[in-house]
């Protein structure tokens, strides 16, 4: 959670290299939390046009979410859906 929050703070001040480093650090922990570091990486890679890495982050984001208890998965469902939608829109699949 701490790495996730730090990644969001780094994103707010446009320190994108720190965003990636901190979010990747967050992926090393398997906490039960809504703070999915793969979502941060997905949005970062998508915004940078790093498609292959974005696809992998999308897969990992989904796997992370599946490992969470249902009550946590439900808390971030809209955020997760919006991340999927943004990726598909950028990839040219608006439908």
């Amino acid at each position: 959670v701490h790495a996730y929050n730090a990644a969001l703070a780094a994103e707010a001040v446009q320190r994108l290299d720190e965003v990636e480093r901190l979010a990747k650090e967050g992926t090393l922990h398997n906490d039960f939390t809504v703070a999915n570091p793969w979502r941060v990486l997905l949005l970062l890679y998508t915004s940078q046009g790093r498609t292959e890495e974005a696809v992998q982050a999308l897969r990992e984001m989904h796997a992370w979410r599946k490992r969470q208890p249902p009550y946590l998965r439900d808390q971030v469902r809209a955020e997760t859906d919006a991340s999927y939608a943004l990726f598909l829109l950028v990839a040219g699949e608006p439908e």
Side-chain angles (χ1 to χ4, degrees), residues 1-26 35 37 40:
V1 173
H2 299 297
Y4 174 87
N5 289 339
L8 293 181
E11 183 179 44
V13 294
Q14 297 295 306
R15 293 186 177 165
L16 302 182
D17 56 330
E18 289 184 40
V19 172
E20 184 172 13
R21 180 182 61 78
L22 290 164
K24 282 184 176 180
E25 182 179 326
V40 174

Side-chain angles (χ1 to χ4, degrees), residues 54-71:
V55 169
Q56 184 60 34
L58 184 69
R59 289 183 178 127
E60 295 293 343
M61 181 183 75
H62 181 68
W64 173 284
R65 186 168 176 258
K66 283 176 56 176
R67 288 191 300 269
Q68 301 302 312
Y71 72 94

